[in-house]
Amino acid sequence: MSLRLKHLRDQIIVITGASSGIGLVTARMAAKRGARLVLAARSQDALMQLEQELSDRYRTVVAVVADVGRPEDVQRVSRVARQRFGGFDTWINNAGVSIYGRLLDQPIEDMRRLFDTNFWGVVYGSLEAARHFQSRGEAGAIINIGSAFSDRAMPLQGMYSASKHAVKGFTDALRMELERQGLPVAVTLVKPSAIATPYPQHAKNFLEEEPTNPPPIYAPELVAKTILHCAEHPERDMFVGAAGKVMSVMGKYAPRLGDFVTERLFAGRQRTGRPPRPCEQHGLSHPSGRLRERGRYRNHIFETSLYTQGALHPVLAGAALVGTGLVISALYQSSQERHAGGQAERHHTMS
């Protein structure tokens, strides 16, 4: 079934998790391109500030304070969109939280709270959107934000990885069911690599030091551009950043090698060496309260991605292959350097 989605300037778009990181960048970018927006997040102060900012500069924006882990809140977001705009054309399930630490160190109630937001929030939003599109009979898009960890788990972010695996399974099943019903709904899973948002600062942390995203780290604008591309062009799934694609391919075709690379190259790079912030200051239970697109990172931030550029523009597919190759080469070189360093250290010790 061929779907034709509206131009962004003609769309009404719902974005959850709109007050921070990817959601915030996407909201500002969508407003600049002419879309009308329904923005949802837990932080009332941040949402009101964003609503005022975008309404003054662009077109109509309405904010709804909501916790996506509560189905009644998600239903209210949908109701406000219908009352204010008569409905919506794209629903973006972006809200997410995380936990850093070993699985054995985490309380079950924290794990459940993470799933309430990351998985059940996606389920509630997707079903609400699907029922709306079904009743209206017009084409629409559901865009779920997964992760590179939807395909490949990461040590010290085990429950986050598990929730994103669950999001992938749910999204794939929903897509097939809607296709079998003949409903004109594009269901897309966007899988970002490590992104330079405040994600580590908002996570609940059980490590003895401040956590971070492992490099390579990409700009959140790359994710926003991908999301808005999917709002206009039906896509099954899309990676953002070649690193995520490499991890997925490696996990599928060489899982033990993938385990080795993840354990040796990425696991340790989630630690900063800085003292941890107070444990009560985390997004698992509390909204951030501030409009922040980016977090604190010492590593280089990739503002562009040849792979992502190629994926968004098939004419540049060759560039995507080049970008993937560069990441594979960088990972291999880093692995060799660490191996050589370990060999030299052992040799020195034996001497």
Side-chain angles (χ1 to χ4, degrees):
M1 177 174 58
S2 177
L3 292 178
R4 292 182 62 86
L5 301 175
K6 295 179 181 178
H7 292 294
L8 215 62
R9 62 180 178 271
D10 300 321
Q11 286 203 35
I12 297 137
I13 301 177
V14 176
I15 305 175
T16 69
S19 65
S20 178
I22 291 168
L24 177 57
V25 176
T26 304
R28 285 170 168 161
M29 193 176 292
K32 187 175 182 179
R33 292 182 56 184
R36 288 171 288 175
L37 303 177
V38 180
L39 305 178
R42 292 176 295 170
S43 175
Q44 181 173 3
D45 291 343
L47 270 182
M48 295 306 105
Q49 181 183 342
L50 181 60
E51 180 183 40
Q52 187 66 50
E53 170 198 327
L54 297 182
S55 296
D56 287 347
R57 297 180 61 187
Y58 303 111
R59 297 180 65 182
T60 306
V61 175
V62 59
V64 185
V65 178
D67 181 341
V68 298
R70 297 165 54 90
E72 60 271 25
D73 283 16
V74 175
Q75 292 165 7
R76 187 172 69 255
V77 173
S78 177
R79 186 166 61 250
V80 169
R82 294 194 303 272
Q83 291 170 348
R84 185 68 178 271
F85 300 119
F88 50 86
D89 304 288
T90 296
W91 184 295
I92 301 168
N93 288 303
N94 165 75
V97 294
S98 191
I99 303 173
Y100 278 86
R102 291 173 290 272
L103 292 169
L104 292 175
D105 297 337
Q106 300 171 25
I108 292 296
E109 55 266 29
D110 285 347
M111 298 178 178
R112 289 184 179 276
R113 182 67 187 91
L114 182 146
F115 259 78
D116 282 343
T117 299
N118 291 12
F119 176 67
W120 286 108
V122 170
V123 172
Y124 300 147
S126 296
L127 296 181
E128 190 68 30
R131 293 186 179 111
H132 170 74
F133 294 138
Q134 183 180 44
S135 65
R136 194 170 64 168
E138 298 178 6
I142 299 170
I143 302 173
N144 293 337
I145 309 306
S147 168
F149 299 164
S150 295
D151 295 339
R152 177 80 219 172
M154 177 65 68
L156 303 183
Q157 293 189 63
M159 288 314 297
Y160 180 82
S161 301
S163 71
K164 293 302 183 178
H165 273 65
V167 166
K168 180 182 185 299
F170 168 77
T171 303
D172 288 346
L174 178 65
R175 182 189 304 110
M176 289 186 286
E177 290 187 10
L178 297 183
E179 286 177 349
R180 280 179 58 84
Q181 293 180 60
L183 295 179
V185 183
V187 180
T188 301
L189 182 66
V190 175
K191 296 186 279 189
S193 304
I195 305 299
T197 66
Y199 164 91
Q201 289 84 51
H202 289 174
K204 188 166 186 179
N205 181 28
F206 288 92
L207 301 176
E208 65 281 359
E209 56 193 286
E210 188 74 8
T212 188
N213 273 329
I217 302 171
Y218 299 89
E221 286 79 5
L222 293 174
V223 190
K225 289 177 183 177
T226 301
I227 291 170
L228 297 183
H229 166 88
C230 296
E232 294 183 308
H233 306 90
E235 301 280 2
R236 186 182 188 278
D237 54 26
M238 297 195 75
F239 285 92
V240 182
K245 181 65 174 180
V246 170
M247 288 178 63
S248 176
V249 171
M250 191 181 302
K252 182 175 181 179
Y253 295 105
R256 287 302 298 159
L257 175 61
D259 289 349
F260 176 83
V261 170
T262 303
E263 292 169 15
R264 301 302 175 89
L265 290 185
F266 295 118
R269 296 185 181 185
Q270 299 175 91
R271 300 173 179 269
T272 64
R274 299 191 298 270
R277 67 191 183 282
C279 188
E280 65 272 10
Q281 298 177 15
H282 60 78
L284 199 63
S285 302
H286 307 285
S288 65
R290 295 174 55 195
L291 295 176
R292 291 182 59 195
E293 294 184 350
R294 299 198 181 196
R296 302 185 300 269
Y297 294 92
R298 292 178 177 176
N299 292 303
H300 173 73
I301 308 300
F302 288 88
E303 301 293 336
T304 61
S305 165
L306 287 174
Y307 172 82
T308 303
Q309 189 72 6
L312 296 178
H313 305 283
V315 129
L316 301 176
L321 293 175
V322 170
T324 305
L326 288 174
V327 171
I328 293 174
S329 175
L331 290 173
Y332 177 77
Q333 182 177 356
S334 178
S335 177
Q336 291 294 98
E337 288 172 354
R338 283 174 170 254
H339 177 71
Q343 291 282 77
E345 184 178 347
R346 285 193 294 272
H347 177 73
H348 176 74
T349 302
M350 292 176 61
S351 300

